[in-house]
Amino acid sequence: MDNSSIPTRRSFVGGALALGALPTGAAAAPAPTLIGGTYANEGGPGLVSLKVGANGIVAGAAIARIGNASFEVKSARRGIHYLVDEQTQGGLGVYDGAFRQLAKRPTLGADPCHAALSPDGTMLAVANYSSGSVALWRLDRAGLPQGDAQLVRHEGRGPNSERQAGPHAHWVGFAANGTLLHSVDLGADAIFAHHLDAATGAVTHTSIAYRAVAGSGPRHLARHPRLPVAYLVAELANTVTILRSRADGTFAARSVVSTLPAAFHGDSAAAHISLNRAGTRLYVSNRGHNSIAVFAVDADGDLRLLQHIDSGGNWPRLFVLLDDQGTMLVANQRSGTIARLNIMADGRLATTDQRAKVAGIAFIGA
């Protein structure tokens, strides 16, 4: 494994491709069509289509005009894609199912890296990493942003002077039927709660939903599908904190687990976190250690480490779980590769020799 040194600031580092046959028992599942976003300054060709079929995954021609798409959220009801444009002058692109542009809006901040739709599909939020702010739009009946975004600026800093000199919004997610917007901030070591007016969607006030351990650098939050539990991955501390979700939108820490093996002492930075659809397994990517950590989720939401497995490349920034196909696809940013891992019956992962070169790969989405 490549134990590359950890950067001190956010950096944009990052033809046909085939991944082998689907695991036994998954062949009958519908073949999903995916997309891959790439960073332009890492040689990324734009937005790449990825077709999953019986014989593997094939990449179609890239859409060069959609560059630096590091995250996407999709409205399944409307068939609309919302893609962030992660640049200093951050943007949001809105596209139909054929990726024809419907709208383009500035995010009023630098390096947007995450987005979320409200449960009723009437609001959209984007996290601006470098400027430590959140952009919030009301959407019209067609799903298009109405006017300029409302901008909410985070405040705070952490003890890591290189990574936490100011706020760095990294994740957003709606709660309480869309009347609360949580945002995870790596620089401020906090989860903020932005309280929304039910009629207008405007932010009425902001409070602290959870104060993370100083210097831990929280990055993303994953909510359990059934339990009042959430999982907070910390990039700088390489940990997952199991949180109890309270009715008022705040969180309380229950316990903490490491995302790294006990014997590992190199540089690493935890990144993506996701639960399987059943809520029985939790997966976390480790950049530097270049692995995926697999945890069993018990009936109360507590975690038990099952496995660390090689991510199939360097710097696993994001992965996607294809539950129906028994497959995980990992976007290894620095090596510019997509790797396929098989999801076994017990939730553990198995390596394959199937790799695909996609320069500047940043994310894989639906």
Side-chain angles (χ1 to χ4, degrees):
M1 294 183 180
D2 181 355
N3 299 327
S4 302
S5 60
I6 304 304
T8 57
R9 60 182 175 82
R10 186 174 183 82
S11 57
F12 295 166
V13 293
L17 56 100
L19 300 181
L22 298 174
T24 301
T33 298
L34 307 175
I35 54 175
T38 63
Y39 287 136
N41 73 339
E42 284 297 309
L47 192 72
V48 179
S49 66
L50 305 168
K51 181 68 175 179
V52 180
N55 296 320
I57 295 182
V58 176
I63 305 174
R65 59 183 167 82
I66 306 180
N68 301 303
S70 64
F71 197 80
E72 175 228 29
V73 62
K74 182 181 178 181
S75 170
R77 178 165 61 90
R78 298 187 177 105
I80 291 178
H81 301 264
Y82 303 91
L83 291 160
V84 300
D85 183 358
E86 189 176 337
Q87 300 190 74
T88 302
Q89 300 296 323
L92 172 75
V94 184
Y95 304 90
D96 66 11
F99 290 98
R100 293 179 292 242
Q101 184 172 295
L102 304 176
K104 182 79 171 180
R105 296 286 189 274
T107 64
L108 308 179
D111 303 327
C113 62
H114 196 263
L117 278 168
S118 63
D120 63 1
T122 63
M123 301 194 71
L124 177 76
V126 171
N128 291 308
Y129 177 87
S130 292
S131 52
S133 61
V134 172
L136 183 65
W137 287 272
R138 293 282 288 184
L139 303 178
D140 65 19
R141 290 185 178 181
L144 303 181
Q146 299 182 39
D148 294 333
Q150 177 183 186
L151 189 69
V152 184
R153 300 183 187 277
H154 290 178
E155 295 183 359
R157 59 187 301 171
N160 186 324
S161 60
E162 292 183 286
R163 297 297 311 280
Q164 297 181 306
H168 294 306
H170 218 313
W171 180 95
V172 285
F174 289 90
N177 295 319
T179 61
L180 192 66
L181 176 68
H182 286 125
S183 54
V184 176
D185 195 293
L186 184 149
D189 285 325
I191 302 175
F192 292 95
H194 307 296
H195 301 261
L196 309 178
D197 182 274
T200 66
V203 175
T204 60
H205 66 285
T206 295
S207 59
I208 300 294
Y210 177 71
R211 180 67 69 185
V213 174
S216 61
R219 179 181 172 96
H220 278 197
L221 188 75
R223 305 183 197 275
H224 194 279
R226 296 180 308 279
L227 301 172
V229 173
Y231 303 94
L232 181 67
V233 63
E235 177 174 329
L236 304 183
N238 297 290
T239 58
V240 174
T241 301
I242 298 111
L243 300 173
R244 178 167 58 88
S245 299
R246 295 168 168 152
D248 63 358
T250 63
F251 300 95
R254 283 176 26 178
S255 59
V256 181
V257 298
S258 176
T259 69
L260 295 169
F264 178 77
H265 299 292
D267 292 325
S268 198
H272 192 54
I273 183 170
S274 184
L275 287 147
N276 66 352
R277 191 163 50 209
T280 58
R281 295 292 182 269
L282 181 80
Y283 302 89
V284 181
S285 64
N286 293 305
R287 298 168 299 172
H289 185 248
N290 292 337
S291 66
I292 306 295
V294 183
F295 296 91
V297 182
D298 73 13
D300 295 322
D302 288 331
L303 300 178
R304 176 173 55 87
L305 179 67
L306 294 179
Q307 178 190 34
H308 286 95
I309 190 168
D310 193 287
S311 69
N314 187 6
W315 217 249
R317 184 181 189 275
L318 186 143
F319 55 84
V320 61
L321 295 170
L322 305 178
D323 292 83
D324 292 336
Q325 286 71 39
T327 294
M328 173 188 284
L329 299 180
V330 185
N332 290 293
Q333 183 182 344
R334 289 186 176 175
S335 56
T337 55
I338 297 174
R340 175 188 161 199
L341 304 177
N342 289 335
I343 305 173
M344 310 309 288
D346 64 357
R348 288 179 169 87
L349 301 172
T351 59
T352 75
D353 59 0
Q354 296 146 3
R355 305 286 184 273
K357 290 294 292 183
V358 181
I361 186 68
F363 94 102
I364 303 168

